[in-house]
Amino acid sequence: MSEKRFFPSNDDCPVRDVLTGLTSKWPMLILFALMDGEERFSGLQRRIEKISKRMLTVSLRDLERDGYITRTVYPEVPPRVEYALTEMGKEVVTPLVKLIRWAESRHDDIRDARGRYDEAKAK
């Protein structure tokens, strides 16, 4: 019998250090949007409904810091900035695509389960 997994509360734990930031709501949606190719800030904001400018800025900086995306500033007036997946970013979205497809295929089942649970709790 194998030992149970332990998730320390420090940077030595890959699950906490890497996956938690990657799989939170906004960063994952940004990565999914960038799968389609380079995108400007305003384009990402239009495509990801309800994300604030602040949250988009913070999430883009975090993704760039972790090496998943690049930020390219073009010397134009006004300046044009585009974001794109790095090789590591492209690599990480590959298994996430499976998660997207699974979520799409099981969405109705999950909504039904939630409805049954909520109905049972309301009794």
mmCIF file of all heavy atoms in Angstrom, residues 1-6:
data_model
loop_
_atom_site.group_PDB
_atom_site.id
_atom_site.type_symbol
_atom_site.label_atom_id
_atom_site.label_comp_id
_atom_site.label_asym_id
_atom_site.label_seq_id
_atom_site.Cartn_x
_atom_site.Cartn_y
_atom_site.Cartn_z
ATOM 1 N N MET A 1 0.838 -1.171 0.000
ATOM 2 C CA MET A 1 0.000 0.000 0.000
ATOM 3 C C MET A 1 0.894 1.248 0.000
ATOM 4 O O MET A 1 1.830 1.348 0.778
ATOM 5 C CB MET A 1 -0.902 -0.033 1.230
ATOM 6 C CG MET A 1 -1.838 1.139 1.325
ATOM 7 S SD MET A 1 -2.892 0.964 2.772
ATOM 8 C CE MET A 1 -4.430 1.313 2.020
ATOM 9 N N SER A 2 0.609 2.173 -0.880
ATOM 10 C CA SER A 2 1.441 3.370 -0.958
ATOM 11 C C SER A 2 1.025 4.389 0.106
ATOM 12 O O SER A 2 -0.085 4.363 0.618
ATOM 13 C CB SER A 2 1.321 3.995 -2.344
ATOM 14 O OG SER A 2 0.003 4.423 -2.566
ATOM 15 N N GLU A 3 1.951 5.278 0.402
ATOM 16 C CA GLU A 3 1.676 6.320 1.382
ATOM 17 C C GLU A 3 0.719 7.340 0.785
ATOM 18 O O GLU A 3 0.697 7.562 -0.417
ATOM 19 C CB GLU A 3 2.972 7.028 1.765
ATOM 20 C CG GLU A 3 3.899 6.194 2.602
ATOM 21 C CD GLU A 3 5.105 7.022 3.059
ATOM 22 O OE1 GLU A 3 4.924 8.192 3.421
ATOM 23 O OE2 GLU A 3 6.195 6.455 3.037
ATOM 24 N N LYS A 4 -0.044 7.960 1.649
ATOM 25 C CA LYS A 4 -0.931 9.025 1.198
ATOM 26 C C LYS A 4 -0.098 10.253 0.858
ATOM 27 O O LYS A 4 0.935 10.505 1.468
ATOM 28 C CB LYS A 4 -1.951 9.367 2.288
ATOM 29 C CG LYS A 4 -2.948 8.259 2.510
ATOM 30 C CD LYS A 4 -3.997 8.679 3.504
ATOM 31 C CE LYS A 4 -5.010 7.564 3.666
ATOM 32 N NZ LYS A 4 -6.083 7.946 4.571
ATOM 33 N N ARG A 5 -0.553 10.998 -0.107
ATOM 34 C CA ARG A 5 0.168 12.200 -0.529
ATOM 35 C C ARG A 5 0.065 13.274 0.544
ATOM 36 O O ARG A 5 -0.945 13.417 1.211
ATOM 37 C CB ARG A 5 -0.404 12.737 -1.831
ATOM 38 C CG ARG A 5 -0.154 11.799 -2.962
ATOM 39 C CD ARG A 5 -0.760 12.304 -4.233
ATOM 40 N NE ARG A 5 -0.643 11.243 -5.214
ATOM 41 C CZ ARG A 5 -0.759 11.426 -6.501
ATOM 42 N NH1 ARG A 5 -1.006 12.612 -6.981
ATOM 43 N NH2 ARG A 5 -0.642 10.415 -7.323
ATOM 44 N N PHE A 6 1.114 14.028 0.647
ATOM 45 C CA PHE A 6 1.194 15.114 1.615
ATOM 46 C C PHE A 6 1.433 16.405 0.840
ATOM 47 O O PHE A 6 2.236 16.444 -0.085
ATOM 48 C CB PHE A 6 2.345 14.855 2.600
ATOM 49 C CG PHE A 6 2.546 15.945 3.596
ATOM 50 C CD1 PHE A 6 1.612 16.175 4.599
ATOM 51 C CD2 PHE A 6 3.659 16.750 3.535
ATOM 52 C CE1 PHE A 6 1.787 17.196 5.519
ATOM 53 C CE2 PHE A 6 3.848 17.772 4.458
ATOM 54 C CZ PHE A 6 2.901 17.991 5.450
#
